[in-house]
Coordinates of all heavy atoms in Angstrom, one line a residue:
M1443 N 0.8 -1.2 0.0 CA 0.0 0.1 0.0 C 0.9 1.3 0.0 O 1.8 1.4 0.8 CB -0.8 0.0 1.3 CG -2.3 0.2 1.0 SD -3.1 0.4 2.6 CE -4.3 -0.8 2.3
S1444 N 0.6 2.2 -0.9 CA 1.4 3.5 -0.9 C 1.0 4.4 0.1 O -0.1 4.2 0.8 CB 1.3 4.0 -2.3 OG 0.0 4.5 -2.5
E1445 N 1.6 5.5 0.3 CA 1.3 6.5 1.2 C -0.2 7.1 0.9 O -0.8 7.4 1.9 CB 2.3 7.7 1.2 CG 3.6 7.4 1.9 CD 3.3 7.2 3.4 OE1 2.6 8.1 3.9 OE2 3.9 6.3 4.0
K1446 N -0.5 7.2 -0.3 CA -1.8 7.8 -0.7 C -3.0 6.9 -0.4 O -4.1 7.3 -0.2 CB -1.8 8.2 -2.2 CG -0.8 9.4 -2.5 CD -0.8 9.7 -4.0 CE 0.2 10.8 -4.2 NZ 0.2 11.2 -5.7
E1447 N -2.7 5.5 -0.4 CA -3.8 4.6 -0.2 C -3.9 4.2 1.3 O -4.9 3.4 1.5 CB -3.5 3.4 -1.1 CG -3.4 3.6 -2.6 CD -3.1 2.4 -3.3 OE1 -3.0 1.2 -2.7 OE2 -2.6 2.5 -4.5
K1448 N -3.2 4.7 2.1 CA -3.3 4.3 3.5 C -4.7 4.8 4.1 O -5.1 5.9 3.8 CB -2.1 4.9 4.3 CG -0.9 4.1 4.2 CD 0.1 4.6 5.3 CE 1.3 3.7 5.2 NZ 2.3 4.1 6.2
K1449 N -5.2 4.1 4.9 CA -6.6 4.5 5.6 C -6.2 5.5 6.6 O -5.1 5.4 7.3 CB -7.1 3.3 6.3 CG -7.6 2.1 5.3 CD -8.2 1.1 6.1 CE -8.6 -0.1 5.3 NZ -9.2 -1.2 5.9
P1450 N -7.2 6.4 6.8 CA -7.1 7.4 7.9 C -7.1 6.7 9.3 O -7.7 5.6 9.4 CB -8.2 8.3 7.7 CG -9.3 7.6 6.9 CD -8.4 6.6 6.0
A1451 N -6.6 7.4 10.3 CA -6.5 6.7 11.6 C -7.9 6.6 12.1 O -8.6 7.6 11.9 CB -5.8 7.6 12.5
S1452 N -8.2 5.5 12.7 CA -9.6 5.3 13.2 C -9.6 6.1 14.5 O -8.8 6.6 15.1 CB -9.8 3.8 13.5 OG -8.9 3.4 14.6
Q1453 N -10.9 6.2 15.0 CA -11.3 6.9 16.2 C -10.5 6.2 17.4 O -10.1 6.8 18.3 CB -12.8 6.9 16.4 CG -13.2 7.9 17.5 CD -13.0 9.2 17.3 OE1 -12.9 9.8 16.2 NE2 -12.7 10.0 18.4
W1454 N -10.5 4.9 17.3 CA -9.9 4.1 18.4 C -8.5 4.4 18.5 O -7.9 4.6 19.5 CB -10.2 2.6 18.1 CG -9.5 1.7 19.1 CD1 -8.3 0.9 18.8 CD2 -9.8 1.5 20.4 NE1 -8.0 0.4 19.9 CE2 -8.9 0.5 20.9 CE3 -10.9 1.9 21.2 CZ2 -8.9 0.1 22.3 CZ3 -10.8 1.5 22.6 CH2 -9.9 0.6 23.0
S1455 N -7.8 4.5 17.4 CA -6.3 4.8 17.4 C -6.1 6.2 18.0 O -5.1 6.5 18.6 CB -5.8 4.7 15.9 OG -5.8 3.4 15.4
A1456 N -6.9 7.2 17.5 CA -6.7 8.5 18.0 C -6.9 8.6 19.6 O -6.2 9.2 20.2 CB -7.8 9.4 17.3
N1457 N -7.9 7.8 20.0 CA -8.2 7.8 21.5 C -6.9 7.1 22.2 O -6.7 7.5 23.4 CB -9.5 7.1 21.7 CG -10.7 7.9 21.3 OD1 -10.6 9.0 21.2 ND2 -11.9 7.2 21.2
K1458 N -6.5 6.0 21.5 CA -5.3 5.4 22.2 C -4.2 6.3 22.4 O -3.4 6.4 23.3 CB -4.9 4.1 21.5 CG -5.8 3.0 21.7 CD -5.3 1.7 21.2 CE -4.3 1.8 20.1 NZ -4.1 0.4 19.4
G1459 N -4.0 7.2 21.3 CA -2.9 8.2 21.3 C -3.1 9.2 22.4 O -2.1 9.6 23.0
I1460 N -4.3 9.7 22.5 CA -4.5 10.7 23.6 C -4.3 10.1 24.9 O -3.7 10.7 25.8 CB -6.0 11.2 23.4 CG1 -6.1 12.0 22.1 CG2 -6.4 12.0 24.6 CD1 -7.4 12.4 21.7
A1461 N -4.8 8.9 25.2 CA -4.7 8.2 26.4 C -3.2 8.1 26.8 O -2.7 8.2 27.9 CB -5.4 6.9 26.5
R1462 N -2.5 7.6 25.7 CA -1.0 7.4 26.0 C -0.3 8.7 26.3 O 0.5 8.8 27.3 CB -0.4 6.8 24.8 CG 1.1 6.5 24.9 CD 1.7 5.7 23.8 NE 1.2 4.4 23.9 CZ 0.5 3.8 22.9 NH1 0.3 4.4 21.7 NH2 0.1 2.6 23.0
A1463 N -0.7 9.7 25.7 CA -0.1 11.1 25.9 C -0.5 11.6 27.3 O 0.4 12.1 28.1 CB -0.6 12.1 24.9
V1464 N -1.7 11.3 27.8 CA -2.1 11.7 29.1 C -1.4 10.9 30.2 O -0.9 11.5 31.3 CB -3.7 11.6 29.3 CG1 -4.0 11.7 30.8 CG2 -4.4 12.6 28.5
L1465 N -1.3 9.6 30.0 CA -0.7 8.7 31.0 C 0.8 9.0 31.1 O 1.5 8.7 32.1 CB -1.0 7.3 30.7 CG -2.6 6.9 30.9 CD1 -2.7 5.5 30.6 CD2 -2.9 7.2 32.3
E1466 N 1.4 9.4 30.1 CA 2.9 9.5 30.1 C 3.5 10.9 30.5 O 4.6 11.0 31.0 CB 3.5 9.2 28.6 CG 3.4 7.8 28.3 CD 3.9 7.4 26.9 OE1 4.4 8.3 26.3 OE2 3.9 6.2 26.6
D1467 N 2.6 11.9 30.3 CA 3.0 13.3 30.8 C 2.5 13.6 32.2 O 1.3 13.6 32.4 CB 2.5 14.3 29.8 CG 2.9 15.7 30.1 OD1 4.1 15.9 30.7 OD2 2.2 16.6 29.6
R1468 N 3.5 13.8 33.1 CA 3.1 14.0 34.5 C 2.3 15.2 34.7 O 1.2 15.2 35.5 CB 4.4 14.2 35.3 CG 4.1 14.2 36.9 CD 5.1 14.6 37.7 NE 6.2 13.5 37.8 CZ 7.2 13.5 38.7 NH1 7.3 14.4 39.5 NH2 8.0 12.5 38.6
A1469 N 2.5 16.3 34.1 CA 1.7 17.6 34.2 C 0.4 17.4 33.7 O -0.6 17.8 34.3 CB 2.5 18.8 33.6
L1470 N 0.2 16.8 32.5 CA -1.1 16.6 31.9 C -1.8 15.6 32.7 O -3.1 15.8 33.0 CB -0.9 16.1 30.5 CG -2.2 16.0 29.6 CD1 -2.9 17.4 29.6 CD2 -1.8 15.5 28.3
R1471 N -1.2 14.6 33.3 CA -1.8 13.6 34.1 C -2.5 14.2 35.3 O -3.6 14.0 35.7 CB -0.9 12.5 34.4 CG -1.5 11.3 35.2 CD -0.4 10.1 35.2 NE 0.7 10.6 36.0 CZ 2.0 10.4 35.6 NH1 2.2 9.9 34.4 NH2 3.0 10.8 36.2
R1472 N -1.6 15.1 35.9 CA -2.1 15.8 37.2 C -3.3 16.7 36.9 O -4.2 16.9 37.7 CB -1.0 16.5 37.9 CG 0.1 15.6 38.2 CD 0.1 15.3 39.7 NE 1.1 14.3 40.1 CZ 2.3 14.6 40.6 NH1 2.7 15.8 40.9 NH2 2.9 13.5 41.0
R1473 N -3.2 17.4 35.7 CA -4.4 18.3 35.4 C -5.6 17.6 35.1 O -6.8 17.9 35.6 CB -4.0 19.1 34.1 CG -4.4 20.5 34.1 CD -3.9 21.2 32.9 NE -2.4 21.0 32.7 CZ -2.0 20.9 31.5 NH1 -2.7 21.1 30.4 NH2 -0.6 20.6 31.3
V1474 N -5.5 16.3 34.5 CA -6.7 15.5 34.3 C -7.2 15.0 35.6 O -8.4 15.1 35.9 CB -6.4 14.4 33.4 CG1 -7.4 13.3 33.4 CG2 -6.1 14.8 31.9
M1475 N -6.3 14.6 36.5 CA -6.7 14.1 37.8 C -7.5 15.2 38.7 O -8.5 15.0 39.3 CB -5.6 13.5 38.6 CG -5.0 12.2 38.2 SD -3.7 11.6 39.1 CE -3.5 12.5 40.5
S1476 N -6.9 16.4 38.5 CA -7.6 17.5 39.3 C -8.9 17.8 38.8 O -9.9 18.0 39.5 CB -6.7 18.7 39.4 OG -6.5 19.2 38.2
R1477 N -9.1 17.7 37.4 CA -10.4 18.0 36.8 C -11.4 16.9 37.1 O -12.6 17.2 37.5 CB -10.3 18.2 35.4 CG -9.6 19.5 35.0 CD -9.5 19.8 33.6 NE -8.9 21.0 33.4 CZ -8.1 21.5 32.4 NH1 -8.0 20.5 31.4 NH2 -7.5 22.6 32.3
C1478 N -10.9 15.6 37.1 CA -11.7 14.5 37.6 C -12.2 14.6 39.0 O -13.4 14.3 39.3 CB -11.0 13.1 37.3 SG -10.9 12.7 35.6
L1479 N -11.4 15.1 39.9 CA -11.7 15.3 41.2 C -12.7 16.3 41.4 O -13.6 16.2 42.2 CB -10.4 15.5 42.1 CG -10.7 15.6 43.6 CD1 -11.2 14.4 44.2 CD2 -9.4 16.0 44.3
L1480 N -12.6 17.4 40.6 CA -13.6 18.6 40.7 C -14.9 18.0 40.2 O -15.9 18.4 40.8 CB -13.1 19.7 40.0 CG -12.1 20.6 40.5 CD1 -11.6 21.6 39.6 CD2 -12.4 21.1 41.8
V1481 N -15.0 17.3 39.2 CA -16.2 16.7 38.6 C -16.9 15.8 39.8 O -18.1 15.9 40.0 CB -16.0 15.9 37.4 CG1 -17.2 15.1 37.0 CG2 -15.7 16.8 36.3
L1482 N -16.0 14.9 40.4 CA -16.5 14.0 41.5 C -17.1 14.8 42.6 O -18.2 14.5 43.0 CB -15.4 13.2 42.0 CG -15.8 12.2 43.1 CD1 -16.7 11.2 42.6 CD2 -14.5 11.6 43.7
L1483 N -16.5 15.9 43.1 CA -17.1 16.8 44.1 C -18.4 17.4 43.6 O -19.4 17.6 44.4 CB -16.0 17.9 44.5 CG -14.9 17.3 45.2 CD1 -13.9 18.4 45.5 CD2 -15.2 16.6 46.5
A1484 N -18.4 17.8 42.3 CA -19.6 18.5 41.8 C -20.8 17.6 41.7 O -21.9 17.9 42.2 CB -19.3 18.9 40.5
I1485 N -20.6 16.2 41.3 CA -21.6 15.3 41.3 C -22.1 14.9 42.5 O -23.3 14.7 42.9 CB -21.4 14.1 40.3 CG1 -20.2 13.3 40.8 CG2 -21.1 14.5 38.9 CD1 -20.0 11.9 40.0
F1486 N -21.1 14.8 43.6 CA -21.6 14.6 45.0 C -22.5 15.7 45.5 O -23.5 15.5 46.2 CB -20.4 14.4 45.8 CG -19.8 13.0 45.9 CD1 -18.5 12.9 46.5 CD2 -20.4 12.0 45.3 CE1 -18.0 11.6 46.6 CE2 -19.8 10.7 45.2 CZ -18.6 10.5 45.9
A1487 N -22.1 16.9 45.3 CA -22.8 18.1 45.8 C -24.2 18.1 45.0 O -25.3 18.4 45.7 CB -22.0 19.4 45.4
I1488 N -24.2 17.9 43.7 CA -25.5 17.8 43.0 C -26.4 16.8 43.7 O -27.7 17.0 43.8 CB -25.3 17.6 41.6 CG1 -24.6 18.9 40.9 CG2 -26.7 17.3 40.8 CD1 -24.2 18.7 39.4
G1489 N -25.9 15.5 43.9 CA -26.7 14.4 44.4 C -27.1 14.8 45.9 O -28.3 14.3 46.2
L1490 N -26.4 15.4 46.6 CA -26.7 15.7 48.0 C -27.7 16.9 48.1 O -28.6 16.8 48.9 CB -25.5 16.0 48.9 CG -24.6 14.8 49.1 CD1 -23.2 15.2 49.8 CD2 -25.3 13.8 50.0
W1491 N -27.5 18.0 47.4 CA -28.2 19.1 47.6 C -29.1 19.6 46.4 O -30.2 20.2 46.6 CB -27.4 20.3 47.9 CG -26.7 20.1 49.2 CD1 -27.2 19.7 50.4 CD2 -25.2 20.0 49.4 NE1 -26.2 19.5 51.4 CE2 -25.0 19.8 50.7 CE3 -24.1 20.1 48.6 CZ2 -23.7 19.6 51.3 CZ3 -22.8 20.0 49.1 CH2 -22.7 19.7 50.4
G1492 N -28.7 19.3 45.1 CA -29.4 19.8 44.0 C -30.6 18.9 43.7 O -31.7 19.4 43.4
I1493 N -30.5 17.6 43.6 CA -31.5 16.7 43.1 C -31.9 15.7 44.1 O -32.4 14.6 43.8 CB -31.0 16.1 41.7 CG1 -29.8 15.1 41.9 CG2 -30.9 17.0 40.6 CD1 -29.4 14.3 40.7
D1494 N -31.6 16.0 45.3 CA -32.0 14.9 46.4 C -33.4 14.5 46.4 O -33.6 13.3 46.6 CB -31.5 15.5 47.7 CG -32.1 16.7 48.2 OD1 -32.5 17.5 47.2 OD2 -32.2 17.0 49.3
A1495 N -34.3 15.4 46.2 CA -35.8 15.0 46.2 C -36.0 14.2 45.0 O -36.8 13.2 45.1 CB -36.6 16.3 46.1
W1496 N -35.5 14.5 43.9 CA -35.7 13.7 42.7 C -35.1 12.4 42.8 O -35.7 11.2 42.5 CB -35.0 14.4 41.5 CG -35.2 13.7 40.2 CD1 -36.3 13.5 39.4 CD2 -34.2 12.9 39.5 NE1 -36.0 12.8 38.3 CE2 -34.7 12.4 38.3 CE3 -32.8 12.6 39.8 CZ2 -33.9 11.7 37.4 CZ3 -32.1 11.9 38.8 CH2 -32.6 11.4 37.8
L1497 N -34.0 12.2 43.5 CA -33.4 10.9 43.8 C -34.1 10.1 44.8 O -34.3 8.9 44.7 CB -31.9 11.0 44.2 CG -30.9 11.6 43.2 CD1 -29.6 11.8 43.8 CD2 -30.8 10.5 42.0
R1498 N -34.7 10.8 45.8 CA -35.4 10.2 46.7 C -36.8 9.5 46.3 O -37.4 8.6 46.9 CB -35.7 11.1 47.9 CG -35.4 10.6 49.3 CD -35.8 11.5 50.4 NE -34.8 12.6 50.4 CZ -35.2 13.9 50.4 NH1 -36.5 14.2 50.5 NH2 -34.4 14.9 50.3
A1499 N -37.2 10.1 45.2 CA -38.5 9.7 44.7 C -38.5 8.2 44.1 O -39.5 7.5 44.1 CB -39.0 10.6 43.5
N1500 N -37.4 7.7 43.6 CA -37.3 6.5 43.0 C -36.0 5.8 43.5 O -34.9 6.3 43.3 CB -37.3 6.6 41.5 CG -37.4 5.2 40.8 OD1 -37.0 4.2 41.3 ND2 -38.0 5.3 39.6
I1501 N -36.2 4.6 43.9 CA -35.0 3.9 44.5 C -34.0 3.5 43.4 O -32.7 3.5 43.7 CB -35.5 2.5 45.3 CG1 -34.2 1.9 46.0 CG2 -36.0 1.5 44.3 CD1 -33.7 2.8 47.2
W1502 N -34.4 3.2 42.2 CA -33.6 3.0 41.1 C -32.7 4.1 40.7 O -31.6 4.1 40.3 CB -34.3 2.3 39.9 CG -34.7 0.9 40.3 CD1 -36.0 0.5 40.5 CD2 -34.0 -0.2 40.4 NE1 -36.0 -0.8 40.8 CE2 -34.8 -1.3 40.7 CE3 -32.6 -0.5 40.4 CZ2 -34.3 -2.6 41.0 CZ3 -32.1 -1.8 40.6 CH2 -32.9 -2.7 40.9
R1503 N -33.4 5.3 40.6 CA -32.6 6.5 40.4 C -31.5 6.7 41.4 O -30.4 7.1 41.0 CB -33.6 7.7 40.3 CG -34.2 7.9 39.0 CD -35.0 9.2 39.1 NE -36.2 9.1 39.8 CZ -37.2 9.8 39.5 NH1 -37.2 10.8 38.6 NH2 -38.3 9.5 40.2
F1504 N -31.9 6.6 42.6 CA -30.9 6.8 43.7 C -29.8 5.8 43.6 O -28.6 6.2 43.6 CB -31.7 6.5 45.0 CG -30.9 6.6 46.3 CD1 -30.7 7.9 46.8 CD2 -30.2 5.5 46.8 CE1 -30.0 8.1 48.0 CE2 -29.4 5.6 48.0 CZ -29.2 6.9 48.5
F1505 N -30.1 4.6 43.3 CA -29.1 3.5 43.2 C -28.2 3.7 42.0 O -27.0 3.7 42.1 CB -29.7 2.1 43.1 CG -28.7 1.1 42.8 CD1 -27.8 0.7 43.8 CD2 -28.5 0.5 41.7 CE1 -26.8 -0.3 43.6 CE2 -27.6 -0.5 41.3 CZ -26.7 -0.8 42.4
L1506 N -28.8 4.1 40.9 CA -27.9 4.4 39.8 C -27.0 5.6 39.9 O -25.9 5.6 39.5 CB -28.8 4.4 38.4 CG -29.5 3.2 38.0 CD1 -30.4 3.4 36.9 CD2 -28.3 2.2 37.6
W1507 N -27.7 6.6 40.4 CA -26.9 7.9 40.6 C -25.6 7.6 41.5 O -24.5 8.0 41.2 CB -27.7 9.0 41.3 CG -27.0 10.2 41.4 CD1 -26.4 10.6 42.6 CD2 -26.6 11.3 40.6 NE1 -25.7 11.8 42.4 CE2 -25.8 12.2 41.2 CE3 -27.0 11.5 39.2 CZ2 -25.4 13.4 40.6 CZ3 -26.6 12.7 38.5 CH2 -25.8 13.5 39.3
W1508 N -25.9 7.0 42.7 CA -24.8 6.9 43.6 C -23.8 5.7 43.2 O -22.6 5.8 43.5 CB -25.3 6.5 45.0 CG -25.9 7.9 45.5 CD1 -27.2 8.1 45.8 CD2 -25.2 9.1 45.8 NE1 -27.4 9.4 46.1 CE2 -26.2 10.1 46.2 CE3 -23.9 9.5 45.6 CZ2 -25.8 11.3 46.5 CZ3 -23.5 10.8 45.9 CH2 -24.5 11.8 46.3
A1509 N -24.2 4.7 42.4 CA -23.4 3.7 41.8 C -22.5 4.5 40.7 O -21.3 4.1 40.7 CB -24.2 2.6 41.2
G1510 N -23.0 5.3 40.1 CA -22.2 6.0 39.0 C -21.2 6.9 39.8 O -20.1 7.0 39.3
C1511 N -21.6 7.5 40.8 CA -20.7 8.4 41.7 C -19.6 7.5 42.2 O -18.4 7.8 42.2 CB -21.5 9.0 42.7 SG -22.5 10.5 42.2
G1512 N -19.9 6.3 42.7 CA -18.9 5.4 43.3 C -17.9 4.9 42.2 O -16.8 4.8 42.4
A1513 N -18.5 4.6 41.0 CA -17.7 4.2 39.9 C -16.6 5.3 39.5 O -15.5 5.1 39.3 CB -18.6 3.8 38.6
W1514 N -17.2 6.5 39.5 CA -16.2 7.6 39.1 C -15.2 7.8 40.3 O -14.1 8.2 40.0 CB -17.1 9.0 39.0 CG -16.3 10.1 38.5 CD1 -15.9 11.1 39.1 CD2 -15.9 10.3 37.1 NE1 -15.1 11.9 38.2 CE2 -15.2 11.4 37.0 CE3 -16.0 9.5 35.9 CZ2 -14.5 11.9 35.9 CZ3 -15.5 10.0 34.8 CH2 -14.8 11.1 34.7
A1515 N -15.7 7.6 41.5 CA -14.7 7.7 42.6 C -13.6 6.7 42.5 O -12.4 7.0 42.7 CB -15.4 7.6 44.0
V1516 N -14.0 5.5 42.1 CA -13.0 4.4 42.0 C -12.0 4.8 40.8 O -10.9 4.6 40.9 CB -13.8 3.1 41.6 CG1 -12.8 1.9 41.2 CG2 -14.4 2.6 42.9
F1517 N -12.6 5.3 39.8 CA -11.7 5.8 38.6 C -10.8 6.8 39.1 O -9.5 6.7 38.7 CB -12.6 6.4 37.5 CG -11.9 6.9 36.4 CD1 -11.1 6.2 35.5 CD2 -11.9 8.3 36.2 CE1 -10.5 6.8 34.5 CE2 -11.2 8.9 35.2 CZ -10.5 8.2 34.3
V1518 N -11.1 7.8 39.9 CA -10.2 8.9 40.4 C -9.1 8.1 41.3 O -8.0 8.6 41.1 CB -11.0 10.0 41.1 CG1 -10.2 10.9 41.8 CG2 -12.0 10.7 40.2
V1519 N -9.5 7.4 42.2 CA -8.6 6.6 43.0 C -7.5 5.9 42.1 O -6.3 5.9 42.4 CB -9.2 5.8 44.1 CG1 -8.3 4.8 44.7 CG2 -10.0 6.6 45.1
M1520 N -8.1 5.2 41.1 CA -7.1 4.4 40.2 C -6.1 5.3 39.5 O -5.0 5.0 39.3 CB -8.0 3.5 39.2 CG -8.6 2.4 39.8 SD -9.8 1.5 38.8 CE -8.7 1.0 37.4
L1521 N -6.7 6.4 39.1 CA -5.8 7.5 38.4 C -4.7 7.9 39.4 O -3.5 8.1 39.2 CB -6.5 8.7 38.1 CG -7.1 8.7 36.6 CD1 -7.9 9.9 36.3 CD2 -6.0 8.5 35.6
A1522 N -5.0 8.1 40.8 CA -4.2 8.6 41.7 C -3.1 7.5 42.0 O -2.0 7.8 42.2 CB -4.9 8.9 43.1
V1523 N -3.6 6.3 42.0 CA -2.6 5.1 42.3 C -1.7 4.9 41.1 O -0.4 4.8 41.4 CB -3.3 3.9 42.5 CG1 -2.4 2.6 42.6 CG2 -4.1 3.9 43.9
Y1524 N -2.1 5.1 39.9 CA -1.3 5.1 38.7 C -0.3 6.1 38.7 O 0.9 5.9 38.5 CB -2.2 5.1 37.5 CG -1.2 5.1 36.2 CD1 -0.8 3.9 35.7 CD2 -0.9 6.4 35.6 CE1 0.0 3.9 34.6 CE2 -0.1 6.3 34.5 CZ 0.3 5.1 34.0 OH 1.2 5.1 32.9
D1525 N -0.8 7.4 39.2 CA 0.1 8.6 39.2 C 1.2 8.3 40.2 O 2.4 8.5 39.9 CB -0.6 9.7 39.5 CG 0.3 10.9 39.6 OD1 0.9 11.4 38.5 OD2 0.4 11.6 40.7
A1526 N 1.0 7.7 41.4 CA 1.9 7.5 42.4 C 2.9 6.5 41.9 O 4.2 6.6 42.1 CB 1.3 7.0 43.7
L1527 N 2.5 5.4 41.3 CA 3.4 4.4 40.7 C 4.2 4.9 39.6 O 5.4 4.6 39.5 CB 2.6 3.3 40.3 CG 1.9 2.5 41.5 CD1 1.1 1.2 40.8 CD2 2.9 1.9 42.4
A1528 N 3.6 5.7 38.7 CA 4.4 6.3 37.6 C 5.5 7.3 38.2 O 6.6 7.3 37.6 CB 3.5 7.1 36.8
V1529 N 5.2 8.1 39.2 CA 6.1 9.0 39.9 C 7.4 8.2 40.4 O 8.6 8.5 40.3 CB 5.5 9.9 40.9 CG1 6.6 10.7 41.5 CG2 4.6 10.9 40.1
I1530 N 7.1 7.1 41.0 CA 8.1 6.3 41.6 C 8.9 5.7 40.4 O 10.3 5.7 40.6 CB 7.4 5.0 42.4 CG1 6.9 5.7 43.7 CG2 8.5 4.1 42.8 CD1 6.0 4.7 44.6
R1531 N 8.4 5.4 39.4 CA 9.1 4.7 38.3 C 10.0 5.7 37.6 O 11.2 5.6 37.3 CB 8.1 4.0 37.3 CG 8.8 3.4 36.1 CD 8.0 2.9 35.0 NE 7.4 4.2 34.3 CZ 6.2 4.4 34.0 NH1 5.3 3.4 34.3 NH2 5.7 5.4 33.5
E1532 N 9.3 7.0 37.5 CA 10.1 8.1 36.8 C 11.4 8.4 37.7 O 12.4 8.7 37.2 CB 9.3 9.3 36.7 CG 8.2 9.1 35.5 CD 7.1 10.1 35.6 OE1 7.2 11.1 36.2 OE2 6.1 10.0 34.8
E1533 N 11.1 8.5 39.0 CA 12.2 8.9 39.8 C 13.3 7.8 40.0 O 14.6 8.2 40.0 CB 11.6 9.3 41.3 CG 10.9 10.5 41.3 CD 11.5 11.8 40.8 OE1 12.7 11.9 41.2 OE2 10.9 12.6 40.1
R1534 N 12.9 6.6 39.9 CA 13.8 5.5 40.1 C 14.7 5.5 38.7 O 15.9 5.2 38.7 CB 13.1 4.2 40.1 CG 14.0 3.0 40.3 CD 13.3 1.7 40.5 NE 12.4 1.7 41.5 CZ 11.2 1.2 41.5 NH1 10.8 0.5 40.5 NH2 10.3 1.3 42.5
D1535 N 14.0 5.7 37.6 CA 14.8 5.8 36.4 C 15.6 7.0 36.2 O 16.7 6.9 35.4 CB 13.7 5.8 35.1 CG 13.0 4.5 35.0 OD1 13.4 3.5 35.6 OD2 12.0 4.5 34.3
K1536 N 15.3 8.1 36.9 CA 16.2 9.3 36.9 C 17.5 9.1 37.5 O 18.5 9.7 37.2 CB 15.4 10.4 37.5 CG 15.5 11.8 36.8 CD 14.9 12.8 37.5 CE 13.4 13.0 37.3 NZ 12.8 14.0 37.9
T1537 N 17.4 8.5 38.7 CA 18.7 8.3 39.5 C 19.7 7.3 38.9 O 19.4 6.2 38.4 CB 18.4 7.8 41.0 OG1 17.6 6.5 40.8 CG2 17.4 8.8 41.7
P1538 N 21.0 7.7 38.8 CA 21.9 6.8 38.3 C 22.2 5.5 39.2 O 22.1 5.7 40.5 CB 23.2 7.6 38.2 CG 23.0 8.7 39.2 CD 21.6 8.9 39.3
R1539 N 22.5 4.5 38.7 CA 22.7 3.3 39.4 C 24.2 3.0 39.7 O 25.1 3.3 39.1 CB 22.1 2.1 38.7 CG 20.6 2.2 38.7 CD 20.0 0.9 38.3 NE 18.6 1.2 38.2 CZ 17.6 0.5 38.8 NH1 18.0 -0.4 39.6 NH2 16.4 0.8 38.7

């Protein structure tokens, strides 16, 4: 296949490239983590004070809302653990042996 006949990058490939860039760059990774934490705090606040009556009206809405919040919290914690491990690896690779 020549250069002109190559297929354009798929959405999946583009997303993998963005994810790789976020995970490899410490400053960008920290920026993403802080924004995810702000979103987590916002959805907790909305659930506690903004739509609490709406959530109380139906048990399934309540369950799905807080399950989603819990899943997002687990995601944020996983990002933090990954960041801690990546920093340890980066610092270990930086020091001469």
Side-chain angles (χ1 to χ4, degrees):
M1443 228 185 238
S1444 70
E1445 282 294 317
K1446 293 179 183 179
E1447 294 176 15
K1448 281 190 176 179
K1449 294 181 183 178
S1452 67
Q1453 187 69 28
W1454 176 253
S1455 297
N1457 288 341
K1458 282 190 333 188
I1460 292 170
R1462 182 172 289 122
V1464 168
L1465 293 176
E1466 288 179 0
D1467 182 26
R1468 185 188 293 191
L1470 185 57
R1471 187 173 58 234
R1472 298 255 169 106
R1473 220 173 315 141
V1474 167
M1475 282 180 13
S1476 65
R1477 289 181 182 155
C1478 286
L1479 185 60
L1480 287 176
V1481 168
L1482 180 63
L1483 293 174
I1485 62 174
F1486 277 172
I1488 290 169
L1490 288 172
W1491 298 300
I1493 59 171
D1494 58 334
W1496 180 74
L1497 290 175
R1498 232 181 289 129
N1500 186 333
I1501 190 69
W1502 288 108
R1503 277 189 280 209
F1504 179 86
F1505 175 73
L1506 288 174
W1507 178 267
W1508 291 113
C1511 290
W1514 191 256
V1516 168
F1517 173 72
V1518 171
V1519 168
M1520 287 173 57
L1521 272 176
V1523 169
Y1524 178 84
D1525 181 60
L1527 294 173
V1529 168
I1530 290 170
R1531 185 189 68 227
E1532 290 168 9
E1533 294 300 321
R1534 187 180 305 141
D1535 291 345
K1536 219 188 279 187
T1537 57
R1539 293 187 186 240

